[in-house]
């Protein structure tokens, strides 16, 4: 009798197939179409206020080589780093406690709802009257912008942990500390990281809004200056740089999320 051959190993897809399955070619194609439409529209109907794509690219390169932009980035990112850091340090524990203890949620739920529905621009006059125009007011607004997402997602992460896992841990003699470290926190980590990523995007938004509406300084001051002088390429270039920074920060947060919650994808 002849021995039957075992299962053949799966063939590795070819280069062309791997390229088609990747997202990068489609993203580059969409960007090329967007840039082409922008260029044609700006040249035909844009006028003074809408620069072409090539003019925006040239202005962006010019800004990246200027000391004025980097000084503005330094001032703006001080409020971003401090405000977002406070939001994470305060929002994650607060969300976990609200998700674990019903009484704490009943006491704080109304304030979370207020922060969710209140237009943040309406808070700016209150901050100006309370703490002035300095760094403190900008940090507070960035914190308020981002902390709600972090608290809500952290609370949701704790709520999503299966109660049967907690009961099983207790039946095996786990202490309250072990329930927190072995069950609750690992189970809530994916939602917590999602909240941090969403809060980071909101923090960048708050950083720009406070400089546009409260004090004309740093990146917000550059936007207002270029708008007032009708320097459309430099205005668009500043916005492109802000968007690029936000995308880089969110990509870094997404990378950290994948590394810390690698087990979640296979669970």
């Amino acid at each position: 009798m002849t021995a039957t051959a075992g299962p053949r190993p799966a063939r590795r897809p070819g280069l062309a197939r791997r390229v088609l399955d990747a997202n990068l070619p489609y993203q580059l194609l969409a960007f090329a179409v967007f840039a082409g439409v922008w260029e044609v529209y700006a040249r035909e109907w844009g006028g003074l206020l809408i620069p072409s794509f090539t003019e925006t690219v040239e202005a962006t390169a010019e800004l990246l080589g200027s000391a004025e932009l980097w000084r503005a980035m330094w001032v703006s990112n001080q409020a971003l780093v401090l405000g977002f850091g406070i939001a994470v340090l305060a929002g994650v524990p607060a969300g976990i406690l609200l998700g674990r203890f019903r009484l704490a949620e009943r006491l704080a739920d109304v304030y979370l709802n207020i922060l969710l529905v209140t237009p943040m621009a309406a808070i700016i006059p209150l901050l100006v009257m309370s703490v002035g125009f300095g760094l403190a007011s900008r940090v507070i607004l960035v914190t308020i912008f981002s902390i709600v997402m972090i608290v809500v997602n952290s609370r949701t992460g704790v709520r999503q942990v299966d109660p049967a896992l907690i009961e099983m841990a207790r039946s095996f003699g786990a202490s309250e500390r072990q329930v927190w470290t072995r069950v609750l926190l690992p189970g809530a980590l994916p939602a917590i990281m999602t909240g941090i990523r969403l809060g980071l995007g909101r923090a960048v938004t708050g950083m720009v809004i406070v400089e546009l509406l409260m004090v004309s300084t740093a990146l917000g001051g550059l936007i207002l200056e270029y708008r007032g002088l009708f320097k459309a390429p430099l205005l668009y270039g500043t916005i492109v740089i802000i968007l690029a920074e936000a995308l880089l920060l969110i990509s870094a947060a997404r990378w950290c999320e994948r590394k810390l919650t690698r087990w979640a994808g296979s669970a």
Side-chain angles (χ1 to χ4, degrees), residues 10-262:
R11 294 181 59 185
R12 187 179 181 184
L15 178 61
R17 186 62 183 176
R18 294 201 302 270
V19 170
L20 290 176
D21 290 340
N23 293 326
L24 182 60
Y26 300 100
Q27 294 172 351
L28 293 176
L29 178 61
F31 180 76
V33 173
F34 170 75
V37 172
W38 181 358
E39 184 76 21
V40 172
Y41 180 83
R43 291 187 180 277
E44 295 296 330
W45 303 285
L48 178 65
L49 300 179
I50 302 180
S52 64
F53 177 77
T54 53
E55 290 174 338
T56 303
V57 172
E58 293 172 357
T60 303
E62 178 184 345
L63 284 170
L64 290 174
S66 67
E68 184 181 19
L69 172 74
W70 294 107
R71 283 195 297 268
M73 293 280 288
W74 167 252
V75 174
S76 293
N77 281 277
Q78 288 179 4
L80 175 65
V81 172
L82 292 175
F84 181 68
I86 293 173
V88 172
L89 293 177
V92 172
I96 292 173
L97 291 176
L98 294 180
R100 180 62 173 155
F101 302 108
R102 295 285 183 176
L103 178 59
E105 183 189 19
R106 292 174 183 174
L107 294 174
D109 190 60
V110 61
Y111 302 104
L112 279 179
N113 292 330
I114 291 174
L115 290 177
L116 284 171
V117 302
T118 302
M120 292 300 164
I123 301 178
I124 292 179
L126 301 179
L127 289 177
V128 172
M129 295 173 63
S130 302
V131 294
F133 291 95
L135 177 63
S137 57
R138 294 188 287 126
V139 169
I140 292 172
L141 192 67
V142 171
T143 302
I144 293 174
F145 254 84
S146 55
I147 195 171
V148 180
M149 290 295 176
I150 298 174
V151 172
V152 170
N153 279 271
S154 300
R155 180 182 64 179
T156 303
V158 174
R159 291 284 179 79
Q160 289 176 345
V161 176
D162 191 351
L165 296 177
I166 300 176
E167 294 299 326
M168 182 175 64
R170 292 194 182 280
S171 66
F172 280 96
S175 63
E176 182 67 20
R177 178 182 178 183
Q178 290 174 325
V179 169
W180 278 91
T181 57
R182 302 292 180 88
V183 180
L184 285 175
L185 293 181
L189 187 58
I192 292 173
M193 294 303 300
T194 300
I196 290 175
R197 176 164 50 85
L198 296 176
L200 181 57
R202 294 261 300 177
V204 175
T205 303
M207 175 190 73
V208 178
I209 286 180
V210 69
E211 293 172 357
L212 287 174
L213 300 181
M214 187 176 72
V215 51
S216 300
T217 185
L219 293 175
L222 289 181
I223 292 175
L224 295 176
E225 177 186 350
Y226 296 145
R227 186 191 66 178
L229 298 175
F230 293 98
K231 295 182 178 181
L234 293 175
L235 172 61
Y236 276 63
T238 305
I239 295 173
V240 167
I241 291 171
I242 295 173
L243 292 176
E245 180 187 7
L247 290 175
L248 286 174
L249 291 175
I250 292 175
S251 297
R254 192 185 298 273
W255 180 83
C256 293
E257 180 181 354
R258 288 198 302 265
K259 291 296 182 180
L260 293 175
T261 61
R262 188 179 302 173

